[in-house]
Amino acid sequence: MVRKKGSLILCGAFLFVAWNALLLLYLWGRPPIGRLGEGGGAEPGGKEEWGVGKGKGGRVNLAGEVIRLAEEVEVQLETQKKLLKQIESNRAVWARQKDIGKRETDDTKDVKEQGVRQPQKPPLPLKAEGNDRDQAELKQTEKPVPTEASDSKLEQQQAVEKNEEIVENNEVATSASSPKVVIPILVIACDRVTVKRSLDKLIQYRPSPELYPIIVSQDCGHGETARMIGSYGDQVTHIKQPDLGDIRVRPEHRKFQGYYKIARHYRWALNQVFNTFSHSTVVIVEDDLEVAPDFFEYFRALYPILSSDPSLWCVSAWNDNGRDALVDPSKAELLYRTDFFPGLGWMLLKDMWDELEPKWPSAFWDDWMRQPEQRKGRSCIRPEISRTITFGRKGVSLGQFFDQYLRYIKLNTEFVPFTKQDLSYLLKEKYEENFIKEVYGAQLVKIEDLQQGGSLKGPGPFRVQYSSRDSFKVFARNLGVMDDLKSGVPRTGYRGVVSFLYRGRRVFLAPPDGWTQYDISWS
């Protein structure tokens, strides 16, 4: 298209020059104005041709001749003016096309570079709803410049309308939410052949192999598990942790050798994602997690929030108190801030990894993440209803919490179009203002009132107040929520407040109004 426009401009310029040259030759070759002889002027046959211009006495009608010549010149000038307008119009269109071609070339170059940074995989058939979701991502574009090409104007107008619609749907979206942002899924695997269950769901719900490459990092050197992962071919990238030797630990920590190996594996795998594959973010899952249908939609929508709010340091798909009776099934779209690091399907940015990696612990990495030296007052996002569940009772924790809590966690089954929602309520200042009003504006009740229920009116919310570590643990145990604390922070807690449903009513288990900080001695 650009070559055609360039040829058109050259032809127009040539015609303009040729036209003026012919006009000059035409005027130059005319006989001189004045007294004519019998030859009829300067050229043979001039007598007959110019005789029409003679007046009385055989003289040329000079006034009429001047007027006629002026009219001819005016006609020629009008023609040239139209030709110049056409050239100018075509020049403008050519300039637009050249600019568009340049942008397309840059976009193609970006896509190719993105492809080089990640393993190439053949595209899988995409679900229609996945395509729609990815199209809903905000992409900043320049305001189109009007041209005289009607097709270009129509395309530009459609782009503007689409952009405005997306901005209205998600006010907190930033340039970071571009659909070009690749969000890899890192699967931490070892010796569970049941990793197949996890991979099957990830591949089933994945809307785009290019935007969500799956990287399976395997430790342990377990052959059967390796063959299972390898059976997926180009649908996943299989990497293997090379150091399989035992780690020297203190004698009393020999029984915790598995925790040391897990921490070593996490460090190696995350360095591979960020430094070898050069990704800017990652979602980490383990080989015993099953994901929800809107798992990818959830993280895609929250990526710009995590990137733009420095008071956040992770996004998690997990609700520690996400048991069926403790969550509101009608509020699948509800999201919270939490001071407790949940893990179990969580997003991390490269900038945060650059901060954590130099001091990464040799064991118990998840509890290490919950220490104030790492958290630094930052929070995570977590859902009302979990977007992951764990099916792995077997592991280094020997089933701790699984039988009592984890096996009852409810997995979301309703697809929520998070990328089309305004999630700005999760930004710190706006969230805290509304959260404090809701919690401390709720009716203060005793735990006995909740358990009996007869004296309470309405669905809540209600507030139960604790004032010490012991009172928190007693109330939590009686209300059915997890009662352990890490560095003084309760599971799912935000500003010390734990939110959940109790017998269908919203309850806040909260410290007194005026809370300022966690007491690490409560651990």
Side-chain angles (χ1 to χ4, degrees):
M1 179 63 73
V2 174
R3 290 181 177 178
K4 290 182 179 179
K5 297 300 181 182
S7 300
L8 182 59
I9 289 174
L10 291 175
C11 289
F14 176 76
L15 288 174
F16 177 74
V17 173
W19 186 274
N20 281 277
L22 289 173
L23 178 62
L24 182 60
L25 290 173
Y26 173 72
L27 294 176
W28 206 350
R30 285 180 176 273
I33 304 295
R35 186 181 298 274
L36 298 175
E38 291 183 355
E43 294 179 354
K47 182 176 180 180
E48 290 76 20
E49 295 177 16
W50 289 80
V52 294
K54 293 182 181 180
K56 293 180 179 180
R59 294 179 180 275
V60 176
N61 187 349
L62 293 179
E65 185 68 16
V66 169
I67 291 173
R68 187 175 64 81
L69 288 174
E71 289 175 349
E72 287 184 4
V73 171
E74 184 177 358
V75 170
Q76 299 302 327
L77 289 175
E78 284 295 324
T79 302
Q80 293 181 34
K81 185 177 180 180
K82 290 179 181 178
L83 184 60
L84 284 172
K85 285 184 177 179
Q86 291 178 1
I87 293 174
E88 179 64 23
S89 174
N90 289 328
R91 187 192 67 79
V93 173
W94 177 76
R96 306 290 191 278
Q97 292 295 335
K98 183 178 180 181
D99 184 56
I100 291 172
K102 182 179 179 182
R103 288 200 299 268
E104 289 176 349
T105 302
D106 292 342
D107 290 343
T108 303
K109 182 178 179 182
D110 291 343
V111 171
K112 288 182 178 179
E113 289 177 353
Q114 196 67 261
V116 170
R117 288 195 295 267
Q118 59 176 311
Q120 297 296 319
K121 308 174 184 66
L124 297 177
L126 304 183
K127 296 185 178 180
E129 63 179 16
N131 289 336
D132 293 340
R133 295 197 297 275
D134 282 334
Q135 289 294 331
E137 300 295 339
L138 175 62
K139 182 178 181 181
Q140 298 292 342
T141 59
E142 296 179 357
K143 185 177 181 181
V145 180
T147 70
E148 296 194 18
S150 59
D151 291 343
S152 297
K153 290 175 67 176
L154 179 60
E155 292 173 359
Q156 291 167 353
Q157 181 64 29
Q158 290 174 344
V160 171
E161 292 175 356
K162 181 178 179 181
N163 196 42
E164 290 175 350
E165 179 183 355
I166 294 171
V167 171
E168 290 175 359
N169 287 335
N170 192 350
E171 295 178 0
V172 299
T174 66
S175 59
S177 66
S178 165
K180 293 182 181 180
V181 174
V182 175
I183 303 178
I185 312 300
L186 174 63
V187 181
I188 300 293
C190 180
D191 59 356
R192 289 190 180 106
V193 293
T194 51
V195 67
K196 174 178 171 56
R197 177 175 171 181
S198 179
L199 292 177
D200 284 347
K201 289 298 182 180
L202 285 170
I203 293 172
Q204 176 185 346
Y205 296 135
R206 177 172 62 170
S208 167
E210 290 75 26
L211 293 179
Y212 307 96
I214 297 173
I215 303 171
V216 185
S217 180
Q218 186 187 2
D219 199 2
C220 308
H222 189 250
E224 189 177 356
T225 302
R227 287 189 291 274
M228 176 61 68
I229 298 168
S231 69
Y232 287 88
D234 290 337
Q235 295 181 92
V236 305
T237 298
H238 186 191
I239 59 176
K240 299 179 181 180
Q241 203 280 111
D243 186 0
L244 303 181
D246 285 342
I247 300 172
R248 297 186 63 180
V249 299
R250 301 193 306 270
E252 61 270 24
H253 273 206
R254 286 175 184 168
K255 62 181 179 180
F256 298 133
Q257 179 75 212
Y259 289 101
Y260 282 84
K261 290 184 176 181
I262 288 175
R264 178 179 65 184
H265 185 194
Y266 263 83
R267 185 177 203 161
W268 180 85
L270 287 170
N271 276 327
Q272 292 295 305
V273 170
F274 289 125
N275 300 327
T276 302
F277 294 105
S278 300
H279 290 296
S280 62
T281 186
V282 67
V283 175
I284 305 152
V285 298
E286 296 186 1
D287 55 1
D288 61 346
L289 291 183
E290 180 180 326
V291 303
D294 58 354
F295 175 85
F296 295 94
E297 173 81 357
Y298 174 78
F299 284 107
R300 170 67 62 180
L302 288 169
Y303 173 79
I305 294 286
L306 179 61
S307 301
S308 61
D309 188 347
S311 68
L312 293 172
W313 70 323
C314 87
V315 174
S316 174
W318 181 260
N319 177 2
D320 277 296
N321 289 315
R323 298 171 63 181
D324 201 1
L326 300 177
V327 296
D328 188 343
S330 67
K331 296 291 180 63
E333 76 285 355
L334 192 57
L335 306 177
Y336 299 86
R337 293 176 69 104
T338 176
D339 297 323
F340 190 90
F341 172 73
L344 294 175
W346 55 289
M347 176 183 279
L348 175 71
L349 300 179
K350 184 181 186 304
D351 290 344
M352 185 55 60
W353 178 242
D354 290 341
E355 175 188 322
L356 298 175
E357 195 273 340
K359 55 179 180 176
W360 190 253
S362 56
F364 310 107
W365 69 268
D366 48 350
D367 282 343
W368 175 83
M369 290 276 289
R370 293 160 182 153
Q371 295 173 358
E373 293 80 8
Q374 281 64 251
R375 191 172 69 83
K376 296 182 179 179
R378 295 172 292 205
S379 304
C380 295
I381 301 295
R382 59 96 174 171
E384 168 78 1
I385 304 177
S386 289
R387 265 59 187 185
T388 57
I389 57 169
T390 177
F391 54 83
R393 186 178 187 278
K394 172 190 172 185
V396 294
S397 63
L398 302 178
Q400 182 184 16
F401 293 130
F402 185 87
D403 291 332
Q404 187 177 2
Y405 293 105
L406 303 183
R407 65 183 300 178
Y408 300 108
I409 297 295
K410 176 180 174 61
L411 180 67
N412 180 62
T413 57
E414 174 189 348
F415 184 89
V416 178
F418 287 111
T419 56
K420 297 181 180 179
Q421 296 181 355
D422 178 11
L423 303 180
S424 62
Y425 71 90
L426 292 168
L427 298 174
K428 183 180 172 90
E429 292 185 4
K430 185 182 294 188
Y431 185 88
E432 284 202 352
E433 180 180 358
N434 296 329
F435 183 78
I436 292 172
K437 286 181 180 179
E438 184 178 15
V439 170
Y440 293 100
Q443 181 182 350
L444 181 62
V445 298
K446 296 180 179 180
I447 190 172
E448 294 82 7
D449 297 331
L450 285 174
Q451 291 174 328
Q452 295 171 2
S455 61
L456 299 179
K457 296 181 181 180
F462 300 103
R463 176 165 50 98
V464 175
Q465 185 167 295
Y466 68 88
S467 57
S468 66
R469 175 183 180 275
D470 291 339
S471 62
F472 170 80
K473 293 182 77 68
V474 168
F475 292 159
R477 201 171 294 129
N478 279 275
L479 294 172
V481 297
M482 297 188 76
D483 66 344
D484 62 320
L485 303 107
K486 302 290 185 180
S487 296
V489 184
R491 292 182 183 266
T492 76
Y494 186 70
R495 295 180 57 89
V497 179
V498 177
S499 174
F500 57 96
L501 286 192
Y502 181 79
R503 297 181 180 178
R505 293 182 166 108
R506 176 63 60 184
V507 174
F508 299 119
L509 181 56
D513 191 6
W515 178 96
T516 56
Q517 62 182 2
Y518 293 102
D519 186 343
I520 61 173
S521 68
W522 285 21
S523 299

